[in-house]
Amino acid sequence: MKKIELRYYNQIGVWDKQEANPLEVERAETILELIPNDANSILDVGCGKGIVTNYIQKPFVVGIDFARTPLNYLSKNAIQASIESLPIKNMKFDLVLSTEVFEHLDDSSFQQAIKEIKKLKANYLLIGTPYLEDLDIDLSKCSLCKNKFHISHHYRSFNAKWFAKEFPEYELRRDEYSAYHIPTNSKLVKLMHKFGAYSYSEFARCDKCGGEALYPPRITMHAFGALMLIDRFIKQICGIMKPYNNIILLKRKS
Ligand SMILES: [Zn+2]
């Protein structure tokens, strides 16, 4: 993991928004419901500030995150470590949980993370990822080096069956979608980019130089904001929705 990534995730503002987002809350509730009764020890890899971890009612719960700041909010056992090198050697967990983590990993980190999770040989894996995310929609532009980066540092998008290739040692037990939402119009977003307006947040940081995101031209932003609102309204009337998350429960083949 790069230092820039660590600096980004150590901003408390990145985590503050989570509980205020109803999609995130619904996602967390779905995950908690999917934890099997016979899973008593749980390791949450990439637990963040514990939006899921803190609510797990099981005898032994450990949360791991490589960023220090969110771990201050964890009410369970906490370990600061990277998913690429898990410091769990002689301990076996019934279930390894990892949600909203894999999409943040570049290719080499992703492969290493899969290896590390397999080494744990847990009976269950419970994994959540954004469902078929269009990564272009949340592109920000760096105000310093002009690099374009995903506002939440997402590097990969997942289809419905991605896990079958990565975890052949496991079989699928549950496959759930959580928190349906109205999808953003990708054509409007592409057009908006042509006019020089990209996604903005005060906490967004360029993944190349650490610079802040470029503030979009005000008029362009308002014009596209209005168009997006109309698009959403039409979709709402037509009932066009898309799952926000895909959550899968895998069981180790015996
Ligand atoms: Zn930059």
Side-chain angles (χ1 to χ4, degrees):
M1 279 286 179
K2 293 185 289 187
K3 272 201 182 120
I4 286 175
E5 298 284 338
L6 191 56
R7 244 187 282 150
Y8 169 70
Y9 295 111
N10 269 327
Q11 303 178 98
I12 192 57
V14 169
W15 305 94
D16 267 353
K17 296 172 288 181
Q18 227 179 4
E19 289 108 334
N21 183 348
L23 292 171
E24 285 292 304
V25 173
E26 197 180 325
R27 173 183 74 79
E29 285 168 354
T30 309
I31 292 161
L32 289 168
E33 279 164 24
L34 285 172
I35 296 175
N37 288 336
D38 62 343
N40 290 313
S41 55
I42 295 178
L43 179 69
D44 187 359
V45 181
C47 62
K49 67 190 285 194
I51 187 170
V52 178
T53 339
N54 287 348
Y55 299 95
I56 301 174
Q57 303 297 329
K58 293 287 185 179
F60 189 56
V61 181
V62 179
I64 289 188
D65 208 282
F66 86 126
R68 177 73 232 167
T69 304
L71 285 179
N72 291 330
Y73 295 82
L74 213 69
S75 60
K76 307 283 180 179
N77 303 292
I79 300 174
Q80 187 183 7
S82 165
I83 192 169
E84 293 173 64
S85 175
L86 293 172
I88 310 286
K89 298 296 171 221
N90 299 314
M91 213 187 292
K92 197 162 183 288
F93 286 85
D94 295 332
L95 183 144
V96 171
L97 172 66
S98 196
T99 69
E100 302 305 281
V101 174
F102 289 154
E103 68 274 18
H104 293 270
L105 306 175
D106 64 20
D107 287 350
S108 71
S109 301
F110 178 70
Q111 289 309 328
Q112 185 58 30
I114 299 276
K115 261 191 221 165
E116 287 291 289
I117 285 179
K118 284 183 189 188
K119 267 200 247 168
L120 298 172
K121 293 193 163 73
N123 290 337
Y124 296 104
L125 301 180
L126 184 55
I127 301 172
T129 55
Y131 177 67
L132 279 183
E133 185 185 10
D134 181 346
L135 295 172
D136 283 348
I137 283 178
D138 284 316
L139 272 189
S140 291
K141 192 170 178 176
C142 176
S143 59
L144 300 178
C145 77
K146 310 300 179 211
N147 167 50
K148 288 166 197 157
F149 60 97
H150 189 282
I151 194 164
S152 306
H153 292 203
H154 288 186
Y155 294 100
R156 55 187 58 249
S157 178
F158 296 89
N159 61 26
K161 296 283 171 239
W162 69 274
F163 51 85
K165 177 176 159 256
E166 305 297 344
F167 295 105
E169 308 84 351
Y170 287 81
E171 60 192 11
L172 183 65
R173 279 299 166 95
R174 296 284 296 273
D175 188 356
E176 303 285 335
Y177 296 117
S178 165
Y180 283 72
H181 69 131
I182 299 171
T184 308
N185 188 315
S186 60
K187 283 187 185 129
L188 272 180
V189 172
K190 282 195 180 97
L191 195 62
M192 191 178 81
H193 291 169
K194 280 198 180 136
F195 281 88
Y198 289 82
S199 296
Y200 176 83
S201 146
E202 60 180 304
F203 304 109
R205 292 292 179 272
C206 170
D207 59 5
K208 284 227 166 76
C209 77
E212 291 184 17
L214 189 70
Y215 197 79
R218 216 171 271 272
I219 295 172
T220 317
M221 197 173 65
H222 288 315
F224 278 95
L227 290 172
M228 301 265 189
L229 219 58
I230 295 166
D231 180 73
R232 285 179 66 82
F233 182 66
I234 295 167
K235 281 175 179 154
Q236 191 161 18
I237 289 171
C238 302
I240 298 170
M241 301 284 268
K242 183 188 169 196
Y244 179 60
N245 265 111
N246 185 201
I247 300 154
I248 49 155
L249 175 69
L250 304 174
K251 183 156 199 296
R252 205 175 157 78
K253 291 174 186 168
S254 45

